[in-house]
Amino acid sequence: MIKPEKTINGTKWIETIQINAEERATLEDQYGIDEDIIEYVTDNDESTNYVYDINEDDQLFIFLAPYALDKDALRYITQPFGMLLHKGVLFTFNQSGIPEVNTALYSALDNPEVKSVDAFILETLFTVVVSFIPISRAITKKRNYLDKMLNRKTKNSDLVSLSYLQQTLTFLSSAVQTNLSELDRLPKTHFGVGADQDKIDLFEDVQIEGEQVQRMFEIETQVVDRIDHTLNSLANNNLNDTMKFLTIWSLTMAVPTIISGFYGMNVKLPLAGMQYAWMLTLGISVALIVAMLIMLKFWRKM
């Protein structure tokens, strides 16, 4: 979809969302955007980047934003979105239809302090960076719940939730790191050349927010990994206790089997002619079982 033109203090803004082949051709023919650029900026596998074409005086920004697979289960990945300054016109590309990107763009458009297209771009990046924070807080809440489950019987659903948290943290922390690296580089690029104080302040605001989000995800990743390690240790301990019980139980059951096996043979055995020989074999079995349990206890195997 190519939305109607808007203006940002005199600069045209063309917003695109999930464009198809026909709309790609329109961008090429009507606005003169190179096919390779369109392919690059709409590629869902692209990572954060900034490219300046000195021949065309084009500037291309690609950043990563959170993309929800299942908000209730806190399953998130990241998808790229792009902004292109081409022949004095700003084009934005949200090929995955990320809600957070749409919110960021219109928040910057409605901000009265945004008085240039550069400020619009930086304000959009700032809002996208901030959009990671509610997800981090939701992860913290879920992590606290799972932490309380350590003292209770862990369900398979809790383990699945923990796995989702680890996957989400992997995607988001990596995206935050790459975004922050690019934000740190931007002031040194053509985009940052000759920046006035207002633009420098915007750079600093975005970088500071990016660093804060990065620290939040680093802490969450460490804590969730420790919970996972603790759950694995508890599961191993429970398995060891179960195997110990089954081993001892099998040993105790082996004793009467051996004794009764001897007296079940069709040969003459000592005491076999007694009236209560079966009670004697039962007594021998019990005595041997008790003796074995005492030895296991003495050897600290129980």
Side-chain angles (χ1 to χ4, degrees), residues 13-135:
W13 170 30
I14 309 297
E15 180 186 8
T16 73
I17 301 176
Q18 297 176 324
I19 57 175
N20 55 34
E22 183 179 348
E23 291 165 338
R24 291 169 187 252
T26 299
L27 292 175
E28 295 176 30
D29 299 336
Q30 187 172 342
Y31 297 100
I33 302 177
D34 189 77
E35 180 183 0
D36 292 338
I37 294 295
I38 297 176
E39 287 293 334
Y40 180 70
V41 80
T42 57
D43 186 354
N44 287 334
D45 295 323
E46 285 299 331
S47 184
T48 306
N49 199 6
Y50 168 80
V51 179
Y52 172 61
D53 187 341
I54 192 172
N55 296 320
E56 297 290 338
D57 195 29
D58 288 349
Q59 298 183 74
L60 175 62
F61 305 79
I62 295 181
F63 281 83
L64 296 174
Y67 182 79
L69 298 177
D70 186 345
K71 283 189 176 181
D72 294 334
L74 283 178
R75 294 190 66 189
Y76 283 85
I77 59 174
T78 57
Q79 290 292 320
F81 71 97
M83 293 181 284
L84 173 66
L85 279 171
H86 174 71
K87 295 181 179 180
V89 180
L90 175 65
F91 297 85
T92 59
F93 298 86
N94 186 5
Q95 193 62 16
S96 299
I98 308 169
E100 287 80 3
V101 173
N102 295 331
T103 300
L105 290 170
Y106 284 93
S107 175
L109 182 66
D110 296 335
N111 190 338
E113 296 182 0
V114 173
K115 300 177 180 178
S116 67
V117 68
D118 289 354
F120 177 86
I121 292 172
L122 289 173
E123 189 66 32
T124 299
L125 295 180
F126 178 86
T127 307
V128 169
V129 170
V130 171
S131 70
F132 284 88
I133 295 179
I135 303 174

Side-chain angles (χ1 to χ4, degrees), residues 160-213:
V160 172
S161 296
L162 182 63
S163 176
Y164 287 160
L165 285 189
Q166 289 179 312
Q167 293 174 28
T168 293
L169 284 170
T170 299
F171 282 113
L172 297 189
S173 60
S174 175
V176 168
Q177 177 62 47
T178 55
N179 282 350
L180 183 59
S181 297
E182 196 60 34
L183 290 171
D184 291 338
R185 190 175 76 91
L186 270 184
K188 306 179 184 68
T189 63
H190 178 80
F191 183 68
V193 172
D196 56 18
Q197 189 58 47
D198 290 341
K199 191 172 181 179
I200 292 173
D201 291 342
L202 282 173
F203 274 127
E204 291 179 351
D205 289 344
V206 179
Q207 289 170 332
I208 290 171
E209 203 66 28
E211 290 171 356
Q212 177 186 347
V213 173

